[in-house]
Amino acid sequence: MSYFVVGYYALLIGASCLAAFYSKRQLFLLLFSLTLVSFIMGIVGGVPALWGVTICAGLLALAGGTSYAFREFLVIIAPREPAKELRTAPLTASFGMFVIFTYAIAGIFAPVIAPFGEAEVVSTAFAPADPQMLLGADQLGRDLFSRLVFGARNTVGIALLATLLAFLMGAVAGLLAATKGGWFDQLLGRIADVIMSIPSLIFALLMLSIFGTNLVVIVIIIAIIYAPRVFRLTRAVAGNVVVMDYIEAAKLRGEGTWYLIRKEILPNSTAPLIAEFGLEFCFVFLLISGLSFLGLGIQPPTADWGSMVRENATLISFGEITPLIPAAAIALLTVAVNFVVDWMLFRSSGLKG
Amino acid sequence: MGDVFKLVLKRLGLGLITLLVISVLIFFAVELLPGDIAQAVLGQGATPENLAALREQMGLNDPAPLRYLNWLVGALQGDFGISLVSGERVSAAIGPRFVNTLFLASYAAVIAVPVSIVLGVIVALLRNSIFDRVANVLTLTSISSPEFFLGYILILYFAVKWGAFPAIASLGSDMSLAELLNRTFLPALTMVLVVTAHMMRMTRAAIINLLSSPYIEMAHLKGTPPWKVIVKHALPNAWAPIINVVALNLAYLVTGVVLVEVVFVYPGIGQLLVDAVSKRDFPIVQACCLIFAATFILLNLAADVGAILTNPRLRHPK
């Protein structure tokens, strides 16, 4: 029984007693169930397991603190109306915004932040970390940290481009289908059905085997795969708007289709579309990373997180976490975007789930 | 009952048509190649004689619709032609691997389905409590992580640090079931983690949707004990969404299997597909895509039919 274990349980039990005393019921439940779980984990895994729990709790607290501070910061610098909305944002959402902000900074200022170039060989293969190379070197002796920073620019940039293209195609088709209706609507609907009935990864692999793996092809293929989702949503949302009286009035005034879409329908259907954009980005990002991981996406020597995982995968059998770092970078961004989207959906639908 | 039969038959027909359209798409996508398959296989430096010989051998001189029909008829009989790289029959390469993939997917499904439905119902009953919030964050994290991230974390801890399970799922032909289950545990667990998160969220949403309906409130108000409300009033209506959730997620498993197989070097059809794509072995790519798409459509169809059978309201479309 080390001091650590005694202190650990004393802290947990003390905190849960305090929570119970001040009748913070939820907090008490959380703390006390953590204590009970720790009993089991302590018996099975010993002291290291308890250390693991402590480190996780510390990280969570750090993340919570950061997101709280970031939210306050945003509330102060934002103009009045958005500030009111931001004040109600849950901590998860502000954590998401913080992560997205960090990634954006890393992506935009990549050449300034990274100590070395993305394809620059600066050391021996798999060199361990030192003060110059924060995370060590990869299989060719390139600095992993620099590649990670450049990856924020390449991977996220390409995913963003593909999402934008998918969105453009899907939204325009959806709006046209909703306003025109008839056979045009039917035709687009059936095409969307067919594309959506093939699993996206399989479809992407089929197309890549035919057109080969270059960047333009990847972006276009992914845009085509994900456009039908946007199409369906836009069509459904716009379909609800199209039957409104003011659209009828605009039609009677003699306005054209393009005017209707731009001035009447679009402003009234932006909220769900923005949330969809976030979700869509997550799907596209995961698909591109998956393809790169399979060696069929973004090609070397471009720094890209998916292929970095693949290149360094052998290290995992020596108990190194190096290949996990780029994978974690992918997961973190997707989680962050999902958190923000969750909050937006909650806000726009008034959904009390 | 005749109505239901007709409706199910209609859905089946629709599924069949979709499958046919997709087979056309898969076959003619290859026709989009600059030049043709023979040119793509032999490369730019091929002599005209070689090209002509290969075209003759692959039957490329026939018109495309005829070749499509031949391919389709062959595919229906399990004959997908001959691999361009190894020269062996595609069906011989795919057959045993397809069995492996099905084994892995069903292994994952057997664990994931009961666990996620029970957890999903519990979380729905505890909605808006702190457990619900924690579960929400955890499932969201699990969904957002790429499969290879989860896979490598599991390898790092279960295989390398604790040595509990093998990291590489190599299968022999004469292994006992226990050995087989042990070897494929980590890939199955990876898929379980992803699919469970999806299924939990969907089950939770479906149950909450159900519990907020007025007739449940009525049952509470007239003094029915809570367990009876769940078992007698909520459950019969919950089957439809739950069956739907299960079938949709099994369909999701089919795609997820590709990445997981590559991470664990599992001898399945997903690994074969990825290899074939990088080697541009079109007959194998086409066959694998057709199999994946067919499974996907079949499971989605099952979701539809299950929903129709368990929810009488869907039998009378407006």
Side-chain angles (χ1 to χ4, degrees):
Chain A
M1 219 44 163
S2 67
Y3 287 116
F4 168 70
V5 178
V6 175
Y8 178 88
Y9 282 114
L11 192 71
L12 262 185
I13 294 172
S16 33
C17 286
L18 273 179
F21 184 73
Y22 288 105
S23 47
K24 301 264 189 243
R25 212 164 139 257
Q26 300 282 342
L27 188 66
F28 167 71
L29 269 179
L30 187 72
L31 282 173
F32 201 67
S33 45
L34 189 63
T35 319
L36 293 182
V37 170
S38 304
F39 279 139
I40 302 169
M41 288 187 65
I43 291 166
V44 176
V47 178
L50 293 186
W51 266 117
V53 175
T54 319
I55 292 170
C56 283
L59 282 179
L60 264 183
L62 191 69
T66 317
S67 24
Y68 182 77
F70 191 66
R71 183 174 71 191
E72 292 306 307
F73 175 70
L74 281 183
V75 166
I76 291 169
I77 62 163
R80 247 183 111 105
E81 274 307 306
K84 219 187 272 171
E85 297 276 7
L86 279 170
R87 216 181 283 277
T88 63
L91 278 186
T92 46
S94 62
F95 175 71
M97 286 187 256
F98 177 71
V99 171
I100 295 171
F101 176 72
T102 317
Y103 276 56
I105 296 289
I108 294 167
F109 298 107
V112 187
I113 297 172
F116 303 103
E118 66 177 311
E120 198 179 332
V121 176
V122 289
S123 169
T124 53
F126 296 133
D130 61 35
Q132 265 86 49
M133 293 191 301
L134 296 172
L135 298 170
D138 71 355
Q139 90 285 9
L140 295 178
R142 294 169 296 191
D143 178 35
L144 204 68
F145 177 71
S146 307
R147 282 177 71 75
L148 212 56
V149 173
F150 274 103
R153 169 178 274 196
N154 301 332
T155 318
V156 179
I158 287 165
L160 214 54
L161 197 68
T163 318
L164 276 174
L165 193 62
F167 224 74
L168 209 67
M169 286 163 39
V172 168
L175 289 169
L176 281 177
T179 40
K180 293 220 176 208
W183 64 268
F184 184 72
D185 183 19
Q186 286 292 325
L187 179 72
L188 286 180
R190 293 296 83 77
I191 293 176
D193 282 349
V194 169
I195 296 179
M196 282 179 80
S197 64
I198 310 178
S200 48
L201 183 63
I202 306 298
F203 195 37
L205 286 176
L206 175 69
M207 289 300 160
L208 286 179
S209 76
I210 293 163
F211 295 109
T213 49
N214 79 54
L215 263 180
V216 181
V217 171
I218 291 175
V219 169
I220 292 175
I221 288 173
I222 286 178
I224 290 175
I225 290 174
Y226 282 106
R229 284 178 49 97
V230 189
F231 165 76
R232 284 203 178 168
L233 183 83
T234 326
R235 188 180 160 278
V237 172
N240 287 338
V241 179
V242 161
V243 291
M244 296 284 178
D245 288 339
Y246 57 82
I247 301 287
E248 191 69 18
K251 273 186 187 161
L252 289 177
R253 280 206 309 272
E255 308 287 3
T257 312
W258 186 237
Y259 175 90
L260 283 180
I261 289 177
R262 210 162 39 91
K263 292 276 171 169
E264 307 281 354
I265 300 176
L266 217 47
N268 286 300
S269 44
T270 38
L273 285 184
I274 292 175
E276 176 68 16
F277 185 83
L279 276 184
E280 196 85 353
F281 172 77
C282 290
F283 288 128
V284 168
F285 187 54
L286 283 179
L287 181 61
I288 290 190
S289 313
L291 287 176
S292 300
F293 171 71
L294 295 176
L296 301 166
I298 303 164
Q299 296 296 318
T302 311
D304 159 72
W305 293 334
S307 32
M308 282 165 73
V309 177
R310 169 198 174 81
E311 287 159 3
N312 296 300
T314 42
L315 277 184
I316 203 90
S317 40
F318 302 104
E320 296 275 345
I321 60 158
T322 318
L324 288 181
I325 297 169
I330 297 169
L332 189 63
L333 181 62
T334 329
V335 173
V337 174
N338 262 319
F339 279 157
V340 178
V341 167
D342 230 27
W343 172 56
M344 285 166 118
L345 281 178
F346 185 83
R347 224 174 36 127
S348 71
S349 66
L351 194 73
K352 301 288 180 281
Chain B
M1 210 51 203
D3 261 7
V4 182
F5 191 65
K6 236 172 149 180
L7 211 59
V8 169
L9 219 59
K10 212 167 131 192
R11 281 297 156 93
L12 284 178
L14 215 62
L16 214 62
I17 292 175
T18 317
L19 199 55
L20 207 65
V21 172
I22 286 171
S23 75
V24 171
L25 197 69
I26 289 175
F27 184 82
F28 285 96
V30 175
E31 300 291 311
L32 292 177
L33 273 174
D36 63 354
I37 299 187
Q39 186 82 54
V41 172
L42 294 177
Q44 291 296 328
T47 60
E49 293 80 33
N50 279 346
L51 276 177
L54 190 64
R55 283 196 185 118
E56 184 63 37
Q57 185 200 334
M58 293 173 65
L60 286 180
N61 294 326
D62 296 335
L66 186 68
R67 274 185 291 128
Y68 167 70
L69 281 183
N70 282 338
W71 177 73
L72 191 66
V73 170
L76 287 178
Q77 296 164 342
D79 173 22
F80 290 98
I82 292 168
S83 161
L84 294 180
V85 176
S86 65
E88 64 173 332
R89 301 204 71 76
V90 174
S91 48
I94 286 182
R97 280 169 172 266
F98 187 50
V99 175
N100 287 346
T101 297
L102 281 184
F103 172 74
L104 183 61
S106 36
Y107 188 9
V110 165
I111 303 176
V113 169
V115 169
S116 54
I117 288 178
V118 170
L119 285 179
V121 171
I122 290 177
V123 168
L125 292 178
L126 294 173
R127 64 183 177 282
N128 295 335
S129 74
I130 195 131
F131 288 107
D132 183 28
R133 303 243 176 90
V134 172
N136 181 32
V137 171
L138 285 182
T139 49
L140 207 58
T141 313
S142 167
I143 291 174
S144 314
S145 311
E147 283 91 347
F148 51 85
F149 182 49
L150 294 174
Y152 280 126
I153 289 183
L154 291 182
I155 289 186
L156 180 66
Y157 284 98
F158 282 91
V160 179
K161 293 218 164 145
W162 302 335
F165 295 98
I168 291 186
S170 56
L171 306 181
S173 53
D174 51 345
M175 278 196 284
S176 67
L177 187 65
E179 174 78 20
L180 212 60
L181 290 180
N182 183 40
R183 291 252 175 131
T184 51
F185 182 71
L186 287 186
L189 187 62
T190 313
M191 298 209 288
V192 166
L193 284 179
V194 179
V195 169
T196 302
H198 267 284
M199 263 199 265
M200 257 180 81
R201 287 176 78 85
M202 288 163 86
T203 312
R204 175 183 177 275
I207 299 286
I208 284 180
N209 198 5
L210 196 68
L211 289 182
S212 62
S213 48
Y215 81 99
I216 296 285
E217 196 180 356
M218 179 66 203
H220 276 297
L221 289 178
K222 74 181 183 198
T224 320
W227 67 269
K228 218 171 173 183
V229 173
I230 301 282
V231 175
K232 281 224 151 175
H233 297 257
L235 207 56
N237 269 324
W239 283 127
I242 287 179
I243 288 178
N244 214 347
V245 167
V246 169
L248 288 180
N249 280 289
L250 292 185
Y252 173 82
L253 265 181
V254 174
T255 335
V257 92
V258 176
L259 286 170
V260 174
E261 278 179 6
V262 172
V263 171
F264 289 93
V265 203
Y266 184 86
I269 187 175
Q271 174 100 20
L272 184 71
L273 172 60
V274 173
D275 284 348
V277 169
S278 49
K279 287 179 195 152
R280 311 193 78 181
D281 191 346
F282 297 109
I284 290 190
V285 174
Q286 284 176 324
C288 290
C289 286
L290 194 64
I291 289 175
F292 274 120
T295 325
F296 193 72
I297 291 172
L298 216 63
L299 287 166
N300 275 314
L301 204 64
D304 271 0
V305 172
I308 291 174
L309 290 181
T310 46
N311 188 351
R313 269 170 294 190
L314 291 179
R315 288 177 208 165
H316 307 286
K318 275 172 257 169

